[in-house]
Amino acid sequence: MDSCRITRVVLLIITFLSLFVSLSESNQFCDAGIGYGESTCTVASTSPSKILIKGGTVVNAHYQEVADVYIEDGVIVAVQKNIVVGDGVKIIDATGKYVMPGGIDPHTHLAMEFMGTETIDDFFSGQAAALAGGTTMHIDFVIPVKGSLSAGFEAYVKKAERAAMDYGFHMAITKWDETVSREMEIMVKEKGINSFKFFLAYKGSLMISDELLLEGFKKCKSLGALPMVHAENGDAVFEGQKRMIELGVTGPEGHALSRPPALEGEATSRAIRLAGFVNTPLYVVHVMSIDAMEEIAKARKSGQKVIGEPVVSGLVLNDTVLWDPDFQTAAKFVMSPPIRAPGHGKALQAALSTGVLQLVGTDHCTFNSTQKALGIDDFRKIPNGVNGLEERMHLVWDTMVVSGQISVTDFVRVTSTDCARIFNIYPRKGAILVGSDADIIILNPNSSFHISSNSHHSRSDTNVYEGRKGKGKVEVTIAGGEIVWENDELKAVPGSGKYIKMPPFNYLYDGIEKADADYLSSLQAPVIRSVRTA
């Protein structure tokens, strides 16, 4: 038996054992009041499924082909034409449809305590919504507890006990001392976290200084972890907020006016330049403006390793909604950085289509209308965040593929594969290959979707994409080898999701050591000088 076959067998055994444990621990019952009716919720099978997907166009980021896909014990075991199976196998006819890796959302906030409240979607309702929309994994941000990374990690492990699909964690850094530095090592080497987020905004709560940012960048580099930034100038935003209040602008429009694109561009430039100074890769989350995008484009053109992540809201919405005379309508669109004026979204779409921006997230951070009303007299008190976990795949398909801006293979790249590569879990995730996890969607390009808060699976009573229609619908979602979405019926099982550890030193670190060596050799220093004596 050659080494490739041995590796495949080991992978199958490990995946089977993980699946067996997670299913054994699951309570196997759908919850009442999870954001969708009990009549649409069915318990998935407790035994590993055998599934054959026949006749579809299998799409990976680098090629597509008409082939069958055979799944067993939660793993893809064959991708080829004319697979023949025996009894006991569920057969799905995918003729005329696309068979693609399930979406991976790199940016979510479930059960997050923020601005005096907590996001309405937890690790079950948010993930249930994701599955209905074709996303089979997400990476959530752990917020430290009183600055403690370990306490924050344990809190999020508990929050995720009811997870219905696979997930990973990023970690936010909100203070700096030797304890935080040591805990970062533990997170990377023991807990499977390979990315750390630094907030340049939210003065007085999450915001960090340039000094801390530099220390964090250096520590990330030493650990092979990827630093991420929320890039807005927090000091200037604070000043902008005061200015709006002094002018009597207290409504949701004040949110956008207080933090213009220039402040996002400045912070993006500053973070990029400091990352270049340290010589570490950098990931810029939720790129919302032309200003920030152009800084990323300039850095990438110069050869710097910078990843830019637009989010769906920034691609398809514009800020005119913030001037709606109805507070509830306007407030639901408040997020940071803000949704921008018309023109920014089209520019971000173009940047995504040309590779200036690499992958699409959501920043899913949902609050209901009652929570948003906390800021009815002061926009500074409106909890920041919008939905997107359920809508992302459909909106990216309709906006980018149907319009001809990107190909079907590019769609897989920006919604799944690049995320898996950046966070070092490819090809286990983000691919339809032998040995990959059976996280798969079947998308019918001839079907249509319609978004409504009356039918979505989030717990929120509003939806920022309300009424949107488009072409291309995810008709089947398979997560961990189980059919969890079919015939508009959701079969989400609390506790069946697995935590996915993500190893350090992804491909962005290739060549970093050589670049450091080249830098040192270029210094021509220190200069040895003779000391003159009198």
Side-chain angles (χ1 to χ4, degrees):
M1 184 180 292
D2 60 35
S3 60
C4 290
R5 291 181 63 193
I6 293 172
T7 301
R8 188 181 305 165
V9 170
V10 171
L11 178 59
L12 285 169
I13 293 171
I14 292 172
T15 305
F16 173 76
L17 290 175
S18 299
L19 184 66
F20 177 78
V21 170
S22 66
L23 288 171
S24 299
E25 292 176 347
S26 169
N27 62 26
Q28 298 297 312
F29 290 96
C30 295
D31 285 6
I34 55 175
Y36 53 89
E38 288 185 84
S39 61
T40 61
C41 188
T42 305
V43 176
S45 170
T46 57
S47 60
S49 295
K50 297 180 180 180
I51 302 170
L52 177 63
I53 304 171
K54 287 197 66 68
T57 300
V58 176
V59 186
N60 281 296
H62 53 294
Y63 75 99
Q64 64 184 64
E65 62 175 340
V66 175
D68 300 342
V69 180
Y70 181 58
I71 300 163
E72 193 169 319
D73 300 340
V75 176
I76 298 169
V77 296
V79 182
Q80 61 189 64
K81 296 181 184 296
N82 302 318
I83 296 175
V84 178
V85 294
D87 296 334
V89 177
K90 165 78 173 179
I91 298 178
I92 302 173
D93 184 3
T95 303
K97 303 173 186 179
Y98 292 111
V99 181
M100 298 184 282
I104 308 174
D105 190 336
H107 190 154
T108 63
H109 299 282
L110 301 181
M112 177 189 180
E113 297 167 20
F114 186 53
M115 298 183 71
T117 186
E118 183 174 310
T119 55
I120 198 69
D121 279 326
D122 62 16
F123 273 80
F124 183 55
S125 67
Q127 291 184 349
L131 292 170
T135 289
T136 54
M137 181 180 170
H138 71 111
I139 311 176
D140 209 85
F141 287 88
V142 172
I143 306 299
V145 175
K146 297 180 180 179
S148 170
L149 277 55
S150 297
F153 181 82
E154 293 306 317
Y156 271 75
V157 167
K158 186 171 181 60
K159 289 179 181 186
E161 286 177 351
R162 299 170 65 250
M165 71 184 197
D166 291 356
Y167 62 95
F169 286 146
H170 309 291
M171 174 69 73
I173 302 295
T174 57
K175 58 176 282 191
W176 189 260
D177 55 30
E178 282 304 310
T179 300
V180 171
S181 179
R182 288 194 299 271
E183 285 188 316
M184 284 180 71
E185 294 187 31
I186 294 170
M187 293 300 117
V188 172
K189 295 176 181 178
E190 300 178 18
K191 304 300 184 183
I193 290 176
N194 67 1
S195 50
F196 295 90
K197 183 179 181 181
F198 302 87
F199 289 87
L200 307 188
Y202 301 121
K203 185 173 182 176
S205 58
L206 299 172
M207 178 179 162
I208 54 90
S209 66
D210 285 357
E211 180 183 8
L212 190 158
L213 187 64
L214 284 166
E215 291 295 335
F217 279 179
K218 289 190 294 182
K219 190 66 178 182
C220 284
K221 181 180 177 181
S222 71
L223 295 171
L226 181 61
M228 314 172 83
V229 288
H230 172 140
E232 289 181 287
N233 187 310
D235 288 319
V237 167
F238 185 73
E239 176 62 29
Q241 290 174 329
K242 288 195 300 180
R243 179 188 301 172
M244 288 302 110
I245 296 299
E246 289 168 359
L247 291 172
V249 181
T250 60
E253 69 278 9
H255 179 74
L257 293 171
S258 68
R259 48 209 313 151
L263 304 189
E264 185 185 354
E266 184 281 329
T268 302
S269 174
R270 177 160 40 99
I272 287 172
R273 290 168 188 268
L274 292 179
F277 177 67
V278 175
N279 189 29
T280 179
L282 180 67
Y283 184 114
V284 183
V285 304
H286 49 42
V287 178
M288 297 293 285
S289 67
I290 293 172
D291 304 54
M293 178 271 289
E294 287 181 340
E295 296 294 338
I296 293 168
K298 183 167 61 176
R300 289 178 61 85
K301 187 175 181 179
S302 73
Q304 194 169 342
K305 296 182 177 182
V306 180
I307 299 294
E309 169 209 273
V311 290
V312 175
S313 53
L315 293 172
V316 307
L317 301 175
N318 67 69
D319 71 353
T320 56
V321 292
L322 292 169
W323 274 260
D324 193 288
D326 179 68
F327 173 84
Q328 180 176 315
T329 299
K332 72 180 180 181
F333 293 95
V334 170
M335 64 175 292
S336 294
I339 296 164
R340 301 300 186 186
H344 286 270
K346 286 290 186 183
L348 295 177
Q349 291 175 27
L352 183 64
S353 69
T354 56
V356 171
L357 302 176
Q358 285 69 53
L359 73 168
V360 182
T362 61
D363 195 8
H364 183 95
C365 187
T366 49
F367 300 96
N368 63 21
S369 55
T370 300
Q371 293 170 304
K372 290 281 188 175
L374 293 170
I376 195 165
D377 297 317
D378 185 343
F379 69 84
R380 296 173 298 180
K381 298 178 182 178
I382 301 172
N384 291 195
V386 301
N387 60 288
L389 255 172
E390 185 168 358
E391 297 81 12
R392 179 183 71 123
M393 299 290 279
H394 289 125
L395 288 172
V396 174
W397 179 271
D398 187 60
T399 303
M400 300 300 297
V401 181
V402 175
S403 68
Q405 294 188 78
I406 64 173
S407 66
V408 178
T409 52
D410 281 338
F411 173 80
V412 169
R413 177 179 57 79
V414 303
T415 62
S416 184
T417 305
D418 265 11
C419 184
R421 291 183 67 236
I422 289 166
F423 296 103
N424 228 7
I425 50 175
Y426 180 87
R428 177 182 180 182
K429 302 290 186 182
I432 297 183
L433 298 171
V434 173
S436 298
D437 286 357
D439 295 340
I440 297 172
I441 62 172
I442 300 175
L443 185 145
N444 186 343
N446 299 313
S447 290
S448 299
F449 66 85
H450 177 215
I451 298 172
S452 171
S453 58
N454 293 324
S455 58
H456 71 195
H457 296 83
S458 165
R459 284 199 179 114
S460 178
D461 60 347
T462 65
N463 192 309
V464 294
Y465 310 105
E466 186 71 40
R468 284 188 174 257
K469 300 177 181 179
K471 292 285 289 183
K473 182 180 179 183
V474 175
E475 294 186 338
V476 178
T477 303
I478 299 169
E482 298 290 341
I483 298 172
V484 292
W485 174 255
E486 187 179 30
N487 300 320
D488 291 334
E489 181 181 7
L490 186 59
K491 306 173 184 178
V493 182
S496 61
K498 301 186 297 296
Y499 174 61
I500 305 299
K501 289 187 173 183
M502 300 179 291
F505 292 105
N506 66 9
Y507 73 94
L508 294 169
Y509 272 94
D510 294 347
I512 290 288
E513 287 187 2
K514 183 180 184 304
D516 283 343
D518 290 344
Y519 165 73
L520 292 175
S521 65
S522 72
L523 295 179
Q524 298 181 3
V527 175
I528 300 174
R529 294 178 172 87
S530 59
V531 179
R532 293 184 181 181
T533 58

